[in-house]
Amino acid sequence: GQNIDQPTEMTATEGAIVQINCTYQTSGFNGLFWYQQHAGEAPTFLSYNVLDGLEEKGRFSSFLSRSKGYSYLLLKELQMKDSASYLCAVNDYKLSFGAGTTVTVRA
Amino acid sequence: GAVVSQHPSRVICKSGTSVKIECRSLDFQATTMFWYRQFPKQSLMLMATSNEGSKATYEQGVEKDKFLINHASLTLSTLTVTSAHPEDSSFYICSAGTGGSDYGYTFGSGTRLTVV
């Protein structure tokens, strides 16, 4: 089966940096997605990693190590609007999601 | 970019009735569509995968006779919750892919179903 783990909650202050880790053990792998989801809304795409290494996109960066079954999402210069749930999802020709990490940004 | 439209955004229905949710890809052809369910403070759980013109593939534990999925065209998939009960109250989200490596890339806006 699919096993995708990420921390349940994280709290940080405005302007800080937060790193959300995701470890996975899946039967197949065709890339890893990170999504942001605000309460009551659908997820929005943040990043997609299929090769090892770091992908940087503005304030958000994502890293992947396939040999370690590990990824992280890095959020820099945190803003209040970044308070949301962040979902790690492994692509195995369908998406399997982790439980999500709720990030709370405090002033 | 790719846009997926989902309707309705909210629906309240009586127990025992059926509800249909539509998912449309507006500017691309979606060979594959996915239906997810999300309970409060939980992650998205894949219910089924539908490919245009063929029967949907349901995940283990999902009742195919209760959650009817139709993907009759490359731009439209529907999910019908039949004989709804209060425990079916949830957030239902569809996503659409073109059949390439970006499976489940674009999500609809979700449907909040409340069964009373």
Side-chain angles (χ1 to χ4, degrees), chain A residues 30 33 35 37 39-45 48 57 87-88 91 93-100, chain B residues 34 36 38 41-44 46 49 59 91 93 100-110 112:
Chain A
N30 195 39
F33 287 89
Y35 288 91
Q37 186 180 27
E41 299 180 10
T44 55
F45 169 80
Y48 177 51
K57 192 180 291 186
L87 308 174
C88 169
N91 184 10
Y93 299 102
K94 59 184 179 182
L95 288 184
S96 296
F97 283 84
Chain B
F34 303 88
Y36 296 86
Q38 186 177 33
K41 297 189 177 181
Q42 295 186 24
S43 192
L44 281 75
L46 180 65
T49 302
E59 295 298 303
F91 192 51
I93 310 174
S101 62
D102 61 343
Y103 273 71
Y105 188 97
T106 306
F107 283 83
S109 54
R112 174 72 61 193

Side-chain angles (χ1 to χ4, degrees), chain A residues 7-21:
Chain A
T8 304
E9 295 180 331
M10 301 183 77
T11 301
T13 54
E14 205 172 7
I17 299 173
V18 68
Q19 177 175 313
I20 306 170
N21 296 324

Side-chain angles (χ1 to χ4, degrees), chain A residues 2 6 9 12 14 24 40 46 48 50 64 66 69 77 81 89 96 99:
Chain A
Q2 316 292 66
Q6 51 181 129
E9 295 180 331
E14 205 172 7
Y24 62 90
L46 292 178
Y48 177 51
V50 64
L64 175 66
R66 288 172 296 172
E77 301 170 16
K81 66 179 181 179
S96 296

Side-chain angles (χ1 to χ4, degrees), chain B residues 18-29:
Chain B
S18 295
V19 173
K20 180 183 284 188
I21 302 170
E22 292 189 349
C23 181
R24 293 181 184 272
S25 56
L26 296 186
D27 50 2
F28 67 101
Q29 292 183 326

Side-chain angles (χ1 to χ4, degrees), chain A residues 41-63:
Chain A
E41 299 180 10
T44 55
F45 169 80
L46 292 178
S47 69
Y48 177 51
N49 293 67
V50 64
L51 299 176
D52 290 351
L54 186 67
E55 294 277 344
E56 296 186 86
K57 192 180 291 186
R59 295 190 298 114
F60 295 170
S61 303
S62 58
F63 172 84

